[in-house]
Amino acid sequence: MDYQRVFAQAIDRLHAEGRYRVFIDILRNKGNFPNARCFAGHNGPKPITVWCSNDYLAMGQHPKVIAAMEDALHDVGAGSGGTRNIGGNTHYHVDLEAELADLHGKEGALLFTSGYVSNEATLATLAKVLPGCIIFSDELNHASMIAGIRNSGCEKRVFRHNDLVHLEELLAAEDPDTPKLIAFESVYSMDGDIAPIAAICDLADTYNALTYCDEVHAVGMYGARGGGISERDQVADRITIIEGTLGKAFGVMGGYIACDSQIIDVIRSYAPGFIFTTSLSPVLVAGVLASVRHLKASSVEREGQQAAATMLKTLFADAGLPVLPSTTHIVPLHVGDPVKAKKISDILLAEYGVYVQPINYPTVPRGTERLRFTPGPSHSEEMMRELTGALVEIWDRMALRVAA
């Protein structure tokens, strides 16, 4: 076996399909987001504007968050010291779990090292604990949810995206006594649409199913205290398990679940992804704790972000750019070709100092490749108008179709 040839062919396939991904070499400027420095393709750092960060509210730059992390670093040091079972449980972890449980109105919460791990570990463990469990999964669920369902070894039923009729057909076809779990997201991050949570909960009640809602692109962003779409729509109490991330709107790192204390006990006792992983550094946890507490009390960041997203969508539409419909903070711009999407991204960075990554398969289906913009409260109107003008010029240069 020529191992190197096989590896080279695998990478060559990505290049041929226009899907090879390049990591941009940048540094953000503390306290001055979305401004950053790019080190790729030129001598020394070049000023750029970041348009694709999932730090939606710039909380990773917030003075309270930075101060909390600095205080924790000087108080307890850098690392956690191990897994939660062996030396890695700190008072910071306990406090943050209490804050997250309160945020969602649940009995408890459990921290993980990332949102991916919280999804994979929880879904895999739940289905293994419930004998004969069937998971009903929205077809656009995140890769981490799909991995958890796959690793559980249970049967699954995939329902068409946000299609309640199809979901009910699948639920009704199963034995009423079979354990069931409906897994879905609140905000789907590539299209920016929202799940009909209340209606899904109605079906769960009718067919005696548990519900698992991934709120990673909604926590911090929606609701009076940042509890997500489930808080905004006043349905959090109807969801069995709410899963979220600490690395997007909260601006730091980590993932979690919030639910009743018995389920928490089961996951922390049985999930390998929790048991055998070094816990989050208390420095990170302290930063998240400050962020969660701030966003529970402040809506300024959320309101600024929603205003920015609305303005950018309007500017794109008025300029004839193919902005996809979105009811959330996500602003997707359709390209439909991976090579062209990468080229547009490259031109924006090299010529305009604009950083936005192309989104290609497998993140989105082939033929729906796009640029995904995430304007935040720190993106000014001037930045948005300059971005729109740059995109119009590139669309014209590349002879891409622009609406009249």
Side-chain angles (χ1 to χ4, degrees), residues 112 114-128 135 142-153 212 214 243 257 267 271-274 277:
F112 295 83
S114 73
Y116 188 104
V117 175
S118 56
N119 269 336
E120 192 282 328
T122 303
L123 287 168
T125 302
L126 271 179
K128 287 177 181 177
I135 295 183
H142 190 265
S144 57
M145 301 174 76
I146 295 169
I149 295 167
R150 182 185 299 116
N151 292 340
S152 74
Y212 183 99
D214 175 318
E243 185 267 347
I257 58 170
I267 302 303
F274 175 82
T277 301

Side-chain angles (χ1 to χ4, degrees), residues 241-305:
I241 300 171
I242 293 174
E243 185 267 347
T245 184
L246 308 170
K248 293 184 170 62
F250 292 127
V252 189
M253 179 181 177
Y256 66 92
I257 58 170
C259 50
D260 72 47
S261 56
Q262 192 167 52
I263 293 177
I264 293 290
D265 212 15
V266 167
I267 302 303
R268 77 175 191 88
S269 299
Y270 283 91
F274 175 82
I275 297 170
F276 299 106
T277 301
T278 298
S279 67
L280 284 169
S281 161
V283 176
L284 296 171
V285 177
V288 176
L289 190 57
S291 183
V292 171
R293 286 172 172 169
H294 176 81
L295 289 175
K296 278 183 175 180
S298 173
S299 292
V300 172
E301 294 80 8
R302 284 187 284 277
E303 292 168 358
Q305 197 286 325

Side-chain angles (χ1 to χ4, degrees), residues 94-368:
V94 174
D95 273 354
L96 179 55
E97 286 174 342
E99 286 286 349
L100 292 168
D102 172 76
L103 178 65
H104 296 293
K106 300 297 185 184
E107 290 180 353
L110 189 66
L111 290 174
F112 295 83
T113 51
S114 73
Y116 188 104
V117 175
S118 56
N119 269 336
E120 192 282 328
T122 303
L123 287 168
T125 302
L126 271 179
K128 287 177 181 177
V129 170
L130 293 168
C133 179
I134 299 174
I135 295 183
F136 299 79
S137 174
D138 188 288
E139 67 177 343
L140 294 188
N141 277 342
H142 190 265
S144 57
M145 301 174 76
I146 295 169
I149 295 167
R150 182 185 299 116
N151 292 340
S152 74
C154 74
E155 289 191 45
K156 71 173 184 295
R157 307 286 184 265
V158 178
F159 60 94
R160 292 186 292 272
H161 178 52
N162 282 347
D163 189 330
L164 297 171
V165 173
H166 190 213
L167 173 58
E168 182 163 22
E169 288 174 357
L170 295 174
L171 288 165
E174 303 300 334
D175 187 323
D177 294 328
T178 297
K180 304 174 187 68
L181 173 66
I182 305 172
F184 59 99
E185 301 182 37
S186 62
V187 173
Y188 290 85
S189 65
M190 291 302 127
D191 293 318
D193 58 340
I194 294 175
I197 299 178
I200 291 174
C201 289
D202 289 342
L203 291 177
D205 291 344
T206 300
Y207 293 95
N208 192 27
L210 303 177
T211 49
Y212 183 99
C213 182
D214 175 318
E215 287 256 43
V216 296
H217 291 278
V219 290
M221 302 293 293
Y222 301 92
R225 300 194 307 158
I229 298 297
S230 58
E231 182 195 16
R232 187 198 72 176
D233 294 353
Q234 299 182 332
V235 291
D237 61 311
R238 302 186 63 191
I239 300 170
T240 311
I241 300 171
I242 293 174
E243 185 267 347
T245 184
L246 308 170
K248 293 184 170 62
F250 292 127
V252 189
M253 179 181 177
Y256 66 92
I257 58 170
C259 50
D260 72 47
S261 56
Q262 192 167 52
I263 293 177
I264 293 290
D265 212 15
V266 167
I267 302 303
R268 77 175 191 88
S269 299
Y270 283 91
F274 175 82
I275 297 170
F276 299 106
T277 301
T278 298
S279 67
L280 284 169
S281 161
V283 176
L284 296 171
V285 177
V288 176
L289 190 57
S291 183
V292 171
R293 286 172 172 169
H294 176 81
L295 289 175
K296 278 183 175 180
S298 173
S299 292
V300 172
E301 294 80 8
R302 284 187 284 277
E303 292 168 358
Q305 197 286 325
Q306 290 292 333
T310 298
M311 177 177 288
L312 190 61
K313 292 173 191 175
T314 300
L315 288 171
F316 281 0
D318 289 348
L321 293 166
V323 59
L324 296 170
S326 164
T327 58
T328 63
H329 56 282
I330 308 297
V331 184
L333 195 61
H334 178 77
V335 179
D337 179 273
V339 175
K340 291 177 181 177
K342 178 65 167 60
K343 184 174 182 180
I344 295 168
S345 173
D346 289 345
I347 294 172
L348 284 169
L349 184 63
E351 299 182 21
Y352 290 96
V354 166
Y355 174 41
V356 60
Q357 282 282 26
I359 306 296
N360 299 327
Y361 177 84
T363 307
V364 295
R366 287 185 173 91
T368 70

